[in-house]
Amino acid sequence: MVGRGAFVRVGSQPHYPILFSLVIGRSGTGKGVSLDAVRPVLLAGDDPDEPFFSSRVRKGFQSGEALVQAAADLAPHQGAHGAGTDPGGLDQRMLVVESEFAKVVTIAQRQGSIYSTVLRSAWDGESLECRTRREKLVASAAHVGVIGHVTPADLHGKIDMVEIGNGFLNRFLLAWSAPTKLMATPRVLEEAVVAGFGARLRGAVEFGRSVGELTRTAAFDDAWASLYYVLRLRPTGGHVLDSLTARAAPHILRLAMVFALLDESPSLDVPHLRAAAALWEYCEASAAHVWGGTLGNSRLDALFDALVAAGDKGLTRSELNAVFSNNLPRGALDAMVLELTERGLAQAKTVPTGGRPREVLTATSR
């Protein structure tokens, strides 16, 4: 709702309040109604002259080109709140809500699809571009947020190491959703409560659309430096969680910016960082809960488990193939061996035999 009227700089690079979130929960647990629960407050906080939710919430895109087209079609606007840093004063704010996020992954995995590339560029705050048969579409000031809903089964079944490794999934805040108690008749927020929160939200949005660059207090810089070094210097073990949480620092910084905007503060301060870090901690724990001890691929898990079971003896090429009943194409097995070695989970060594040396693969640690 704020758009590009607010930003923080990392070096010379502006970071806008762009957030992607993926709500993960078992089917039938109510994860899909999370937006509905807060919608009354969002509507109450909307600008009646320029309503966001009636025209800028979209769903069900079937291609990356369609998403770029939707952003490009949003009318240019030079509003009373000021243009902020938007090129040409464009207002290309859009919220994408995907209640079946598994479909997005399926579309992104189609040959020739640019959906993953478009979403990654949108999170980065870059211009969105694509070429159709008729024209070149450009959304130069696209400000796109994404809310997705998915089950753990769909995540494990649809997401592969490509989406994990190329930075697609780690641009999302992964949040586990589960009911804390059963309620046969959920309560409705009282009108006075909705109006009160709505008024505060509208004030924060109006503030954010004109504030421009947010500064940082000296106390924030000190706290941020300490946290940043912890995030960046943590030891990694090649686990899928290392990839899923690789963007912890920019996520936390953007969340801190959102908390500062809600406070109508022109500066990031320590309380905003603490709130952001707490939310990120929950998202990191959610990722660990969903992915657990897996490497992100069932076959890769099976191969690594077999190497661990073999111990120092390791496994020869024929023994590696036997793990998959000799039914795995050579190229696929080579790719998994390379994946394990590059992630530091396995190493190849040569074993003398009195004749031709034998090459075996052994596990390191997980």
Side-chain angles (χ1 to χ4, degrees):
M1 293 172 74
V2 166
R4 293 190 171 205
F7 64 96
V8 295
R9 290 193 187 275
V10 179
S12 59
Q13 179 69 29
H15 276 247
Y16 301 104
I18 297 173
L19 299 176
F20 289 5
S21 60
L22 188 56
V23 183
I24 310 166
R26 296 185 179 88
S27 180
T29 58
K31 68 182 183 305
V33 300
S34 55
L35 181 59
D36 293 334
V38 295
R39 189 183 301 274
V41 173
L42 297 173
L43 292 175
D46 211 348
D47 187 338
D49 297 324
E50 301 177 68
F52 181 89
F53 287 94
S54 62
S55 61
R56 297 180 182 271
V57 177
R58 309 294 174 84
K59 60 181 65 178
F61 287 115
Q62 297 301 308
S63 68
E65 290 84 353
L67 194 153
V68 177
Q69 176 77 71
D73 284 346
L74 293 171
H77 172 68
Q78 189 78 30
H81 301 295
T85 57
D86 293 1
L90 291 177
D91 182 2
Q92 294 181 327
R93 297 170 298 152
M94 183 168 64
L95 175 62
V96 179
V97 180
E98 294 289 356
S99 57
E100 297 294 338
F101 191 76
K103 293 181 180 178
V104 174
V105 177
T106 299
I107 295 170
Q109 291 175 339
R110 291 174 183 166
Q111 186 174 4
S113 172
I114 64 169
Y115 209 156
S116 176
T117 302
V118 168
L119 284 178
R120 280 179 282 152
S121 295
W123 189 89
D124 293 342
E126 298 174 349
S127 173
L128 305 185
E129 301 181 6
C130 70
R131 187 174 296 278
T132 67
R133 293 181 180 179
R134 296 182 179 181
E135 59 183 337
K136 180 180 180 180
L137 300 173
V138 179
S140 58
H143 186 85
V144 180
V146 180
I147 298 175
H149 299 95
V150 70
T151 65
D154 279 337
L155 264 185
H156 289 296
K158 298 290 186 179
I159 296 285
D160 58 25
M161 289 309 299
V162 174
E163 281 79 19
I164 294 174
N166 68 10
F168 172 70
L169 195 58
N170 66 25
R171 283 172 167 82
F172 286 82
L173 293 164
L174 307 177
W176 178 256
S177 171
T180 57
K181 58 183 176 181
L182 298 177
M183 297 183 67
T185 306
R187 293 190 295 271
V188 177
L189 288 175
E190 297 177 2
E191 291 184 7
V193 174
V194 171
F197 279 118
R200 292 171 60 183
L201 176 60
R202 185 180 303 180
V205 171
E206 290 178 352
F207 168 81
R209 294 197 68 187
S210 61
V211 67
E213 181 178 0
L214 277 75
T215 59
R216 314 181 195 197
T217 66
F220 177 93
D221 278 338
D222 289 343
W224 172 245
S226 298
L227 178 58
Y228 181 82
Y229 291 133
V230 170
L231 294 172
R232 300 299 295 174
L233 299 179
R234 287 186 302 181
T236 59
H239 194 278
V240 64
L241 289 177
D242 297 331
S243 296
L244 291 175
T245 59
R247 296 184 190 276
H251 276 306
I252 292 174
L253 188 60
R254 293 186 184 192
L255 287 169
M257 174 170 43
V258 170
F259 283 118
L261 294 175
L262 289 170
D263 270 352
E264 299 187 35
S265 169
S267 300
L268 303 183
D269 207 348
V270 174
H272 308 134
L273 181 59
R274 287 176 177 165
L279 181 51
W280 170 255
E281 184 179 5
Y282 182 81
C283 293
E284 192 173 60
S286 296
H289 175 69
V290 173
W291 292 100
T294 73
L295 295 173
N297 180 293
S298 58
R299 286 179 173 176
L300 204 62
D301 285 330
L303 185 60
F304 183 75
D305 290 342
L307 288 174
V308 171
D312 294 337
K313 177 175 175 289
L315 298 177
T316 65
R317 179 75 193 200
S318 60
E319 290 170 333
L320 291 174
N321 203 21
V323 174
F324 304 99
S325 303
N326 299 315
N327 289 326
L328 202 63
R330 181 181 181 86
L333 184 59
D334 288 343
M336 287 195 295
V337 170
L338 180 62
E339 180 75 27
L340 289 177
T341 55
E342 286 185 341
R343 291 165 69 170
L345 297 174
Q347 60 183 359
K349 65 180 181 180
T350 302
V351 178
T353 63
R356 184 177 180 179
R358 181 178 59 182
E359 287 200 359
V360 299
L361 192 70
T362 59
T364 52
S365 62
R366 195 166 190 171

